[in-house]
């Protein structure tokens, strides 16, 4: 079931989204050669704590997971697409890092992700990240009243495929509200004019993921959480929580 949010609820979600944006900004500023992924998780924990927010990631255990998630961010490096568990790995020059973070505040959730390079940027990584960000922008632009879920999926998929990148199957965006994951699902590839109609008050987490090698295949790492590209190529991830309104899409996880 899809819950349509009131303007008051959307404003409350904006506050949760602002906390997520602050956490991601702080993590990106802290990321440098020699900094560990556990250090980055600690930075995000501090932002959530200061804001009086909790983490929808910490302790989360979907059906595919062997254990509850142990952190407040997903930290996915290089060939890791999503769901990377922060550990003692220390960032190296040239790493491509994707950070996903959520927050629960006053009963509402926010969810967002960014990708960036550490140290010396490689042109291939910059292009990959830029494509994920452009795909996100295209998906958001399609999130208007009168369109359908398929229009968002088609907009995202068109940008990714045109760039020659792969799109991991079976993973995409989702509805969000009182819980981090709600209906409907938002695929990263699809046919325009298909799927659920977009209505005012729907709030979606739109999140393209791209694989540099061009293939769509992935596999779970031994931890049961991290998804890695089958071809070993790098991946990037971008995400915003977006409210659909009569005045157009409203990004709730921007600073």
């Amino acid at each position: 079931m899809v819950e349509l949010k009131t303007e008051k609820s959307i404003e409350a979600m904006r506050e949760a989204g602002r906390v997520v944006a602050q956490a991601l900004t702080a993590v990106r500023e802290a990321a440098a050669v020699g900094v560990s992924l556990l250090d980055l998780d600690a930075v995000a924990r501090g932002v959530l704590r200061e804001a009086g927010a909790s983490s929808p990631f910490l302790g989360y255990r979907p059906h595919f997971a062997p254990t509850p998630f142990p952190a407040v961010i997903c930290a996915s490096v290089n060939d890791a697409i999503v769901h990377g568990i922060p550990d003692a790995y220390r960032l190296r020059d040239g790493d491509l890092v994707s950070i996903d973070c959520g927050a629960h505040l006053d009963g509402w959730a926010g969810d967002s992700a960014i990708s960036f390079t550490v140290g010396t940027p490689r042109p291939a990584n910059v292009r990959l990240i830029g494509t994920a960000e452009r795909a996100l922008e295209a998906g958001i632009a399609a999130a208007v009243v009168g369109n359908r879920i398929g229009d968002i999926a088609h907009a995202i998929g068109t940008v990714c495929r045109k760039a020659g990148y792969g799109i991991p199957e079976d993973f995409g965006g989702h509805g969000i509200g009182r819980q981090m994951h709600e209906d409907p699902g938002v695929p990263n590839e699809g046919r325009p004019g298909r799927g659920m109609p977009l209505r005012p008050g729907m709030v979606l987490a739109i999140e393209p993921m791209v694989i540099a090698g061009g293939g769509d295949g992935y596999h779970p790492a031994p931890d049961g959480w991290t998804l890695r590209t089958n071809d070993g190529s790098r991946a990037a991830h971008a995400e915003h929580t977006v409210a659909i309104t009569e005045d157009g899409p409203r990004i709730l996880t921007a600073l």
Side-chain angles (χ1 to χ4, degrees):
M1 186 180 77
V2 176
E3 178 189 5
L4 299 180
K5 280 70 175 179
T6 64
E7 181 59 33
K8 183 177 180 181
S9 297
I10 290 173
E11 287 296 333
M13 291 189 70
R14 169 63 178 138
E15 293 308 308
R18 185 174 284 112
V19 174
V20 175
Q22 291 168 346
L24 288 173
T25 298
V27 167
R28 184 168 189 166
E29 291 175 349
V33 174
V35 174
S36 77
L37 300 182
L38 285 172
D39 292 335
L40 299 184
D41 187 66
V43 169
R45 286 176 189 254
V47 173
L48 296 181
R49 183 170 56 250
E50 181 68 22
S54 61
S55 170
F57 289 17
L58 185 62
Y60 181 60
R61 188 177 183 182
H63 64 89
F64 64 80
T67 57
F69 197 75
V72 305
I73 62 170
C74 297
S76 306
V77 181
N78 296 332
D79 67 328
I81 306 167
V82 288
H83 303 162
I85 297 176
D87 57 18
Y89 176 83
R90 294 191 178 276
L91 296 172
R92 302 172 183 173
D93 186 65
D95 277 346
L96 192 165
V97 184
S98 297
I99 302 291
D100 195 350
C101 184
H104 262 135
L105 183 68
D106 296 331
W108 296 97
D111 188 11
S112 184
I114 58 174
S115 293
F116 54 87
T117 57
V118 175
T120 307
R122 299 178 182 176
N125 291 343
V126 172
R127 180 174 180 266
L128 184 69
I129 293 168
T131 299
E133 292 172 345
R134 286 190 294 107
L136 176 58
E137 291 169 0
I140 293 171
V144 297
V145 176
N147 273 358
R148 293 175 176 265
I149 292 291
D151 293 300
I152 297 175
H154 178 72
I156 292 170
T158 298
V159 171
C160 299
R161 295 299 188 189
K162 186 175 181 180
Y165 295 137
I167 301 171
E169 299 178 72
D170 304 321
F171 281 88
H174 49 88
I176 183 171
R178 300 179 190 277
Q179 303 298 322
M180 179 172 62
H181 289 140
E182 298 182 352
D183 291 333
V186 185
N188 286 328
E189 191 167 32
R191 296 177 64 181
R194 300 295 182 91
M196 182 179 291
L198 303 181
R199 300 168 59 191
M202 292 176 68
V203 182
L204 307 174
I206 300 173
E207 51 177 323
M209 308 160 196
V210 287
I211 298 174
D216 299 345
Y218 61 87
H219 61 275
D223 63 25
W225 274 100
T226 309
L227 299 182
R228 297 191 178 277
T229 62
N230 280 351
D231 60 9
S233 67
R234 294 188 170 191
H237 179 204
E239 178 183 17
H240 269 310
T241 296
V242 180
I244 296 169
T245 78
E246 292 285 8
D247 298 323
R250 181 182 177 191
I251 300 174
L252 304 183
T253 42
L255 276 178

